[in-house]
Each structure stands twice: as C-alpha cells, then as structure tokens.
Amino acid sequence: MQRNREKMEREKTEQHQNQFKRKLRVCVATCNRADYSKLAPIMFGIKAHSDEFELEVVVLGSHLIDDYGNTFRMIEQDDFDINSKLHTIVRGEDEAAMVESVGLALVKLPDVLQRLRPDILIVHGDRFDALALATAAALMNIRILHLEGGEVSGTIDDSIRHAISKLAHYHACCTRMAEQHLIAMCEDHSRILLAGCPSYDKLLLTHRKDDYMDIIKSWLGDKVQDRDYIVALQHPVTTDIQHSIKIYGLMLDALLSFNKKTLILFPNIDAGSKEMVRVMRKKGIEQHQNFRAVKHIPFEQFIQLVCHAGCMIGNSSCGVREAGAFGTPVINLGTRQTGRETGENVLHVRDADTHNKIYHALELQFGKRYPCSKIYGDGSAVPRILKFLRSIDLDEPLQKTFCFPPVKESISQDIDHILETQSALAVDLGGTNLRVAIVCKRGNILKKYTENNPKTFEDRMCLILKMCKDAIQDAVSINCRILGVGVSTGGRVNPQEGVVLHSTKLIQEWSCVNLRTPISDALHLPVWVDNDGNCAALAEKKFGHGKGVENFVTVITGTGIGGGIIHHYELIHGSTFCAAELGHIMVSLEGPECSCGSRGCVEAFASGMALQREAKMLHDEDLLKVEGIDKLCEPITAVHLITAAKMGNSKAEAVLHKASTALGVGIVNILHVVNPSLVILSGVLGSFYQEPVQHVINQRALKSAQSIKVVSSHLEEPALLGAASMVLDYATRRTY
C-alpha cells in the first residue's frame, strides 16, 4: 500500500510538471514536392500531439513556382497552416541560378527564423535549398534535425547531404549503413536515430487501396490496365549536365520505340532541367498519344501509380527507395543514384550511352514482379522520430561535438628523425635473378641484394618477402625511412590492382598473380607494381634523359625488347595494360618466330635472344670465325656476334645490320604514331644500337620526325630505379 501511494504521488507530480512544461516549437521547412512526401507524415504526427509540440511550417523553393505545379497548395489541402512562404528560386535552371537561389534564401531566412524562434528545425535530404536552411539555422544557434543523412548517391547532392549532416545537431537516418556512415563521419552516436523513411509510414498503409484503377485511369486513360504502363522520372545530374541531357533523350527514344503508355513527370528545378524539357518538347512527347506529361501528382496517387506500374524508369530516388516496397521493376539510368542501397527490383544502366541498351533493359524489366523490399523502412518511422524529439534536452550545450577516432600520438622531432633519408624499396623480377634495393630520393642505390629467381610461385613469394624484410632491417642501420615498395616485373601488369596478368616465358607460374596484397599485408607498406619496360621509362623520367621532357619513348634492348611511353609527362598504360609493347611491333610479314607466338616482331630480330640464336647458327656452320681467334668459348652469346662484326666478319655484320634496321623501322613506326621529342635506348645493347637506329630514322622517317634524337641511357639499373620512382613520386604526396 505504501508503494502504491508513492507511485500515485509520483504520477500526480509528473502530471503537474507536464501542465507547466513548455511545448517544443518544431519548425518543418519544405522545399519541393519530393521532400514534402517525407516530411508530411512527421507534420501529421506533430499536429496530432499538439499538447507536446507546436508546429511551424516554412515553405520555399519550387513549391511556389507555377511551372512546377504550385505544390504549396497540397500543404494547405492537408490542413497545415503555413507560417511563412519564401520565394527563393532564381530562374535560369543552370549552375549560377542554383548558387543565386541559395544566396537569396540566406538573405530571406534570418527574418523568418528570428520571428518564429523554433527550438528545432527539421530539414530533409540533400537539396541546395536545404543547405541554405541548415546554414542559416546553424549560424542563428537553432538546433537542426536532419532526415536521411549518411546516405550515398551520385552528383553534387552527395556533397550537400554530408555538409548538412555536419551542420546538424541530430540525425534521423533510414538504414543501418547510413547510420554507420554518420558514425564514420564522427557524428555523436547518441544523437543518431535509426528511424526508417517517414514516407514508408504512409505508403505501406495506403498503396493497397481498392480505388487504384480509378487513379490509373484518371492519369492515363480508360484503356490502360494494371501493370501495363510505365512511370518515367529523370532529373538532371548537376555535375555532368550535358551527359544527363543526352541520357534523357535516349530514354525518351527508347520509350517511344517500346510503345507502352507512359506517365512522365517533369524534371526537378536543378541546373539542366530547362534543356531536358526542351528535349522532351522537341520530340513531341506532350502531344504523343502514348505519353502523359505532368508537373505534379499528389503523393497518395503517385504511390498507387508506382505500385501498379509495369516498370519505373529514370534516376529518381523514388525508384531505388519507395518502389522497392511494392516490388515494382525499376530501371535506374546513369550515376545520380550511384551508391544507394537497392533491392533486387532495380536494374542499373549506369553507362546508358545507347538507345538499344535502355530498350533492352525495358524488355528485361517490364511486367516483372519482385519480392517487396523494406530496406528503407518498416512503417514506424514517425513514432520513433516523435519519441526522439521528446528526448531532446534544450538545456544541453548547443555547440555540437564530434567523436573523432583515436589517433596515434605525434612522433617527437629529434635530430635522427629529421635527418632520416626518405627511401623506397625496389624489387626487380627478371628471368634469372631476383633483386631488391634500397633507393634514396636522389636515385642512389644505397644497398642491393641479389638471389636466383626461384622456379615456383610459392618459393618466389617467400624469397621476395624475406629479402624485403632483410632490407627493411638494414634500412634502419643506414638511417633510411622506407616509404613503400615498388615492384618491376616482366609481363603484362595491371598497375591499378597490382596484379601480373600475363607473364613472359622466362618467369614460370607468374600469371594472374596479385603482388600488391601479400607484400603490403606482410610489410605494412603501400605497394606499386608495373612491368619492367614501363619502369625503365619512369626511371628515365625521374633520374635520366627524360627528366623534364614532356613526350619521350624508352626502348629496352636486352634479353627481350620492351619499353614505355611518356606522353604529357604521364606514363601510358592503355585500355588493357599492353601499351608500349614495343618489342612486338611487326616489321616483317615473314620474319622469324617471336616468343609471343607471332612472326616478324622487332624482338625476333633485335633482342639479345635473337642475336644469340643467329650467333649459334653461324657458329654451328663454322661461319663465326675471325682472324686472330682460333676457337670461341661456349656458350655462344650476342657478345660473340658483336665482337666478330667489329673484327670484320661479314656474316656477323649482315646479321647486326638486319637487326639494327628492324629495330630502327619499329622505332620509326613509334615516331609516326605518338611523335615523341626523344627516344632513349636502355639496356645492354642500347649503346650499340644508338647510331644505326638514328641512321634508319634519318633515312626512313617522315621529314618532320627525322630531327628526333636517339640517345643511350646512362642509368645502370633502370628497372630498380623505375620501381623506386613509383614510390618516391607518389608516397611523398600520399596518393595511393
């Protein structure tokens, strides 16, 4: 009995306190038809609890423009008192007009907010009008609740949404992933509510009304059947307006060809919308019998139309959000919704560059039905948001705080740290040897390690990691700070992923090999990978003859023939990473067989292996003899051929002349394609080929290309220096 009396007294005390408790003044600001569909359920909820909340409504943006349907009237039809109407849109529908509209809103909002003096302002989404609202409220010390923050999409909307989140004091997000994004953005977890999308509270209750056929017929005519029409809604992409206009035109062409009744809504007021409407009118869409073009549809009716459509097409967020709740098939065009969470009902056509691609997507999606998805809500968002509003303590400090992740303490600056030499670990994988070197920023090789290259993948990776770890330990003793690892290897390489795609025949078990991940994981350092030809070009660019040269070509003349092309100071990789395979330029239709499987390649004539092959053939026929040398030592190499030629052996001279001519013709082809200002010959045969190649250029190149110089590289270790340059160029500016 005592406990019951105490409970009754507490309840009386609470009731007495609530009688004198001030209502929370909540201002809801709506800018367009789309955000009103999300805000209206909250406004109804606040209005239904008038004993706790005082609702203030501000209307601005495209709500007040006749061309966009004067949609403020639907707010009045919902029996809400509008406290203030602000004309904030500067017409023009281009980037400048958007900026001017934000400025105009910032000029007008302070008077309104000062008059209404809300305790909290509710702002939705990612529109430029909402950014003006959040900026004004934050500067006027008004608490902000941001709806649908933390989501990811394409265009400038993404940046605006995150900017509003940083200004907001509280967040009501729709998905678990959005909640995690907000936490990652250093927002206070205690001020984030995982509510779901408020529009789902309405659409999950009303989309199954019995009068849906009346709604469909009122918009599309009496002959239209359930799931036998299309809803189209495409907006401009403000970061790529011209491309979005092109996609819009292709979508309309595909819809015309598809020949189904289509309800098409006008685009929003973003930059580029005027041009999109012009495209629509040029194609006669408004007069076409299959189309009904409208500026606005009440949300309750729009829900029914989307729910019973055969397909929805465009780039509206409604397609990836609300349509999923009905299982309506959706075709999402372009990049505007890139990053959004979607259900299996959405087919993405991100590169919508042809009419046929969009038409094929319509064939795949039209008339299908998918399981209903509730990624964005379960119909209970509004009760959660109202409860969240009740919990806000107005006595809390207004200044928001950020929850930054823990970071390591800064290293104290002692003299050893200041004098450390910034260096790279360079790895060169050749057919015979595996080499690792510590290379400083000036290009000096401070220490080098060499081992035989193992024949198997497992042994090779173990040896690479062991040699790198040994080098890192030694780097400490010579006061070097290793910034990263650069790997030069034979074969075709995807440098973006750090993967060897196809190896040369000299390195076994070395195709489809991910080098970056295991090395980076083991050494805890960033790793760059490229092929040896490209590395030679990078070495010349940073340390050799190519330093400061905008366009040049490096040709490696060693065991094989390779190289790299620098164009506008950047290395060219090509679409499938086989650019600058200079050794496989064909200079003869019926030449000797090449290691690549083809015939007549430069490498089959001029590489060290090709010269060795010719030398052996001459030796076997006893034609490599020269006066003064009785017997040649085995094994026979290219050196013997060159020596014999220098001593007057006509057969050897003929072979070298043919090889030099083949290499020269290949380089002439390069000059005629990329037109560099310099050719650098690298490798053991570079100095030998320099003069004859220059002679071929003077004889066979176009007149405008004959002045291009051929020089021999002075770099002793181009592969190692090139591997190091990848690290030194990028690690110091933290690009990885």
Side-chain angles (χ1 to χ4, degrees):
M1 290 176 66
Q2 178 67 26
R3 279 197 298 271
N4 287 337
R5 279 197 297 270
E6 289 174 355
K7 183 179 179 182
M8 290 173 64
E9 287 176 5
R10 279 199 305 272
E11 288 175 352
K12 285 181 181 179
T13 303
E14 287 175 4
Q15 289 173 2
H16 182 72
Q17 288 175 347
N18 288 335
Q19 287 176 359
F20 296 99
K21 187 177 181 181
R22 182 172 68 81
K23 295 179 184 179
L24 187 71
R25 285 196 299 272
V26 181
C27 178
V28 178
T30 174
C31 312
N32 53 60
R33 67 189 181 199
D35 78 6
Y36 181 66
S37 68
K38 316 292 177 70
L39 293 167
I42 300 173
M43 293 163 67
F44 280 113
I46 291 171
K47 190 176 180 180
H49 293 81
S50 57
D51 57 325
E52 299 176 88
F53 304 105
E54 183 180 333
L55 177 63
E56 298 166 335
V57 180
V58 175
V59 174
L60 65 158
S62 59
H63 272 309
L64 303 170
I65 296 179
D66 183 57
D67 287 353
Y68 292 86
N70 278 327
T71 49
F72 73 90
R73 293 197 182 100
M74 67 182 179
I75 302 172
E76 294 176 335
Q77 289 167 4
D78 285 340
D79 201 26
F80 289 114
D81 295 326
I82 298 176
N83 297 81
S84 184
K85 296 175 185 173
L86 292 178
H87 292 270
T88 58
I89 297 298
V90 176
R91 299 307 299 272
E93 285 78 24
D94 58 14
E95 296 97 329
M98 290 168 64
V99 177
E100 290 167 356
S101 298
V102 172
L104 183 59
L106 286 170
V107 169
K108 293 187 174 185
L109 279 167
D111 287 340
V112 174
L113 294 176
Q114 207 159 27
R115 174 168 54 83
L116 297 178
R117 301 183 67 82
D119 295 315
I120 190 160
L121 174 72
I122 298 181
V123 178
H124 168 268
D126 48 28
R127 307 293 301 140
F128 58 86
D129 322 73
L131 179 62
L133 282 161
T135 303
L139 291 172
M140 295 183 70
N141 291 326
I142 296 169
R143 298 168 195 269
I144 302 165
L145 171 61
H146 184 210
L147 301 181
E148 297 187 6
E151 295 182 17
V152 177
S153 65
T155 81
I156 193 65
D157 295 354
D158 224 20
S159 301
I160 292 175
R161 185 187 310 108
H162 299 327
I164 296 171
S165 292
K166 301 316 292 180
L167 292 168
H169 303 80
Y170 308 97
H171 310 273
C173 58
C174 297
T175 69
R176 181 71 63 185
M177 188 177 292
E179 180 187 36
Q180 293 303 312
H181 288 162
L182 287 169
I183 293 169
M185 290 165 63
C186 305
E187 295 298 312
D188 187 346
H189 196 178
S190 66
R191 295 190 172 200
I192 301 171
L193 171 68
L194 178 55
C197 182
S199 66
Y200 270 57
D201 290 29
K202 197 168 189 178
L203 65 88
L204 291 176
L205 290 174
T206 60
H207 79 280
R208 292 296 181 188
K209 284 188 175 179
D210 295 333
D211 63 347
Y212 68 88
M213 282 307 302
D214 295 334
I215 294 171
I216 293 171
K217 289 177 180 179
S218 69
W219 289 98
L220 288 162
D222 293 335
K223 296 182 180 179
V224 177
Q225 298 300 313
D226 183 14
R227 300 182 185 176
D228 196 36
Y229 62 91
I230 296 169
V231 175
L233 180 51
Q234 179 90 356
H235 299 304
V237 176
T238 53
T239 49
D240 195 353
I241 293 171
Q242 292 307 312
H243 186 60
S244 64
I245 294 168
K246 178 187 174 183
I247 292 177
Y248 189 65
L250 293 171
M251 179 190 78
L252 295 177
D253 290 339
L255 289 170
L256 286 166
S257 302
F258 200 67
N259 198 30
K260 287 288 182 183
K261 276 284 186 183
T262 301
L263 180 67
I264 184 166
L265 280 81
F266 277 62
N268 64 21
I269 202 167
D270 281 351
S273 60
K274 188 163 58 177
E275 288 84 353
M276 290 175 74
V277 172
R278 193 176 293 130
V279 170
M280 182 172 69
R281 286 176 175 157
K282 189 175 180 180
K283 294 181 183 291
I285 296 298
E286 289 173 293
Q287 290 76 41
H288 197 282
Q289 61 180 2
N290 272 354
F291 286 81
R292 173 79 190 279
V294 297
K295 295 176 180 176
H296 167 66
I297 302 173
F299 183 65
E300 294 83 353
Q301 296 181 36
F302 185 65
I303 288 171
Q304 304 283 358
L305 290 163
V306 172
C307 174
H308 297 279
C311 179
M312 184 175 183
I313 188 170
N315 63 3
S316 169
S317 61
C318 175
V320 299
R321 297 170 66 96
E322 283 82 0
F326 317 132
T328 301
V330 173
I331 299 168
N332 178 50
L333 302 178
T335 60
R336 190 171 185 264
Q337 302 301 333
T338 298
R340 291 267 195 200
E341 297 172 71
T342 63
E344 59 182 288
N345 64 309
V346 180
L347 175 63
H348 296 280
V349 189
R350 293 190 178 92
D351 189 18
D353 54 352
T354 65
H355 154 277
N356 288 339
K357 214 180 262 188
I358 300 172
Y359 185 88
H360 184 56
L362 284 164
E363 288 183 317
L364 290 172
Q365 286 287 79
F366 186 80
K368 278 189 178 181
R369 230 56 200 170
Y370 290 91
C372 297
S373 165
K374 294 185 180 179
I375 295 172
Y376 287 94
D378 59 1
S380 301
V382 172
R384 294 187 186 112
I385 291 171
L386 294 181
K387 184 178 179 181
F388 189 62
L389 287 171
R390 292 186 190 101
S391 70
I392 292 174
D393 183 2
L394 297 179
D395 294 326
E396 275 186 341
L398 186 66
Q399 176 63 51
K400 69 178 288 186
T401 56
F402 299 103
C403 299
F404 294 105
V407 294
K408 292 180 180 178
E409 294 182 7
S410 60
I411 302 170
S412 59
Q413 290 286 346
D414 58 37
I415 192 66
D416 289 335
H417 180 69
I418 294 168
L419 295 178
E420 270 186 337
T421 304
Q422 290 187 325
S423 306
L425 213 56
V427 180
D428 176 34
L429 281 145
T432 306
N433 293 325
L434 172 57
R435 300 183 302 157
V436 173
I438 301 170
V439 182
C440 73
K441 286 182 72 174
R442 293 184 178 181
N444 298 324
I445 296 177
L446 305 177
K447 197 157 187 177
K448 186 165 66 174
Y449 311 78
T450 304
E451 297 283 352
N452 291 329
N453 194 346
K455 300 299 182 184
T456 65
F457 167 76
E458 289 81 6
D459 291 345
R460 189 175 298 126
M461 287 304 303
C462 288
L463 183 58
I464 290 171
L465 294 176
K466 179 183 181 300
M467 292 174 73
C468 286
K469 288 176 181 177
D470 290 345
I472 289 171
Q473 285 184 344
D474 292 344
V476 176
S477 63
I478 57 175
N479 204 31
C480 288
R481 182 153 62 97
I482 303 298
L483 301 174
V485 182
V487 181
S488 166
T489 179
R492 188 159 64 91
V493 175
N494 177 347
Q496 297 170 5
E497 303 294 335
V499 174
V500 181
L501 301 174
H502 302 293
S503 178
T504 64
K505 290 183 178 180
L506 297 174
I507 310 177
Q508 300 171 9
E509 298 185 21
W510 206 238
S511 294
C512 301
V513 173
N514 182 345
L515 283 180
R516 174 177 292 163
T517 302
I519 297 175
S520 182
D521 288 349
L523 305 181
H524 306 292
L525 288 170
V527 177
W528 287 264
V529 185
D530 215 326
N531 82 358
D532 47 9
N534 287 335
C535 285
L538 291 173
E540 295 294 340
K541 176 175 178 283
K542 189 168 182 67
F543 304 113
H545 291 304
K547 193 170 185 178
V549 180
E550 185 176 2
N551 303 294
F552 70 89
V553 172
T554 298
V555 181
I556 299 179
T557 55
T559 307
I561 301 286
I565 300 171
I566 301 293
H567 185 65
H568 295 319
Y569 301 108
E570 295 293 334
L571 182 67
I572 294 176
H573 285 103
S575 60
T576 56
F577 312 107
C578 65
E581 288 289 349
L582 309 181
H584 301 293
I585 295 174
M586 292 183 66
V587 292
S588 171
L589 296 178
E590 298 297 334
E593 186 176 355
C594 181
S595 61
C596 68
S598 184
R599 286 186 174 274
C601 298
V602 170
E603 186 171 293
F605 286 100
S607 67
M609 290 182 68
L611 296 182
Q612 184 182 34
R613 181 192 67 231
E614 295 295 324
K616 283 182 177 179
M617 288 172 61
L618 291 176
H619 179 260
D620 292 344
E621 295 173 12
D622 210 23
L623 297 175
L624 202 58
K625 288 183 177 180
V626 293
E627 192 175 341
I629 300 178
D630 295 329
K631 191 175 181 181
L632 296 176
C633 299
E634 297 284 351
I636 302 299
T637 66
V639 174
H640 295 104
L641 187 73
I642 295 170
T643 303
K646 287 180 178 179
M647 298 182 72
N649 186 308
S650 59
K651 296 290 185 180
E653 286 176 349
V655 170
L656 291 176
H657 176 73
K658 191 175 183 179
S660 300
T661 303
L663 180 61
V665 169
I667 290 175
V668 167
N669 290 334
I670 298 167
L671 302 187
H672 291 167
V673 174
V674 296
N675 194 215
S677 59
L678 182 67
V679 176
I680 303 170
L681 297 181
S682 181
V684 293
L685 298 172
S687 58
F688 170 77
Y689 279 131
Q690 180 186 352
E691 189 175 328
V693 166
Q694 186 75 70
H695 181 68
V696 174
I697 291 172
N698 294 339
Q699 282 188 323
R700 301 192 179 218
L702 292 173
K703 192 170 183 179
S704 57
Q706 289 177 6
S707 60
I708 295 171
K709 285 188 176 182
V710 179
V711 298
S712 176
S713 174
H714 60 74
L715 300 178
E716 293 184 3
E717 298 286 0
L720 287 172
L721 292 177
S725 76
M726 292 190 289
V727 179
L728 298 171
D729 276 351
Y730 294 99
T732 50
R733 63 186 189 192
R734 301 190 182 279
T735 301
Y736 179 50

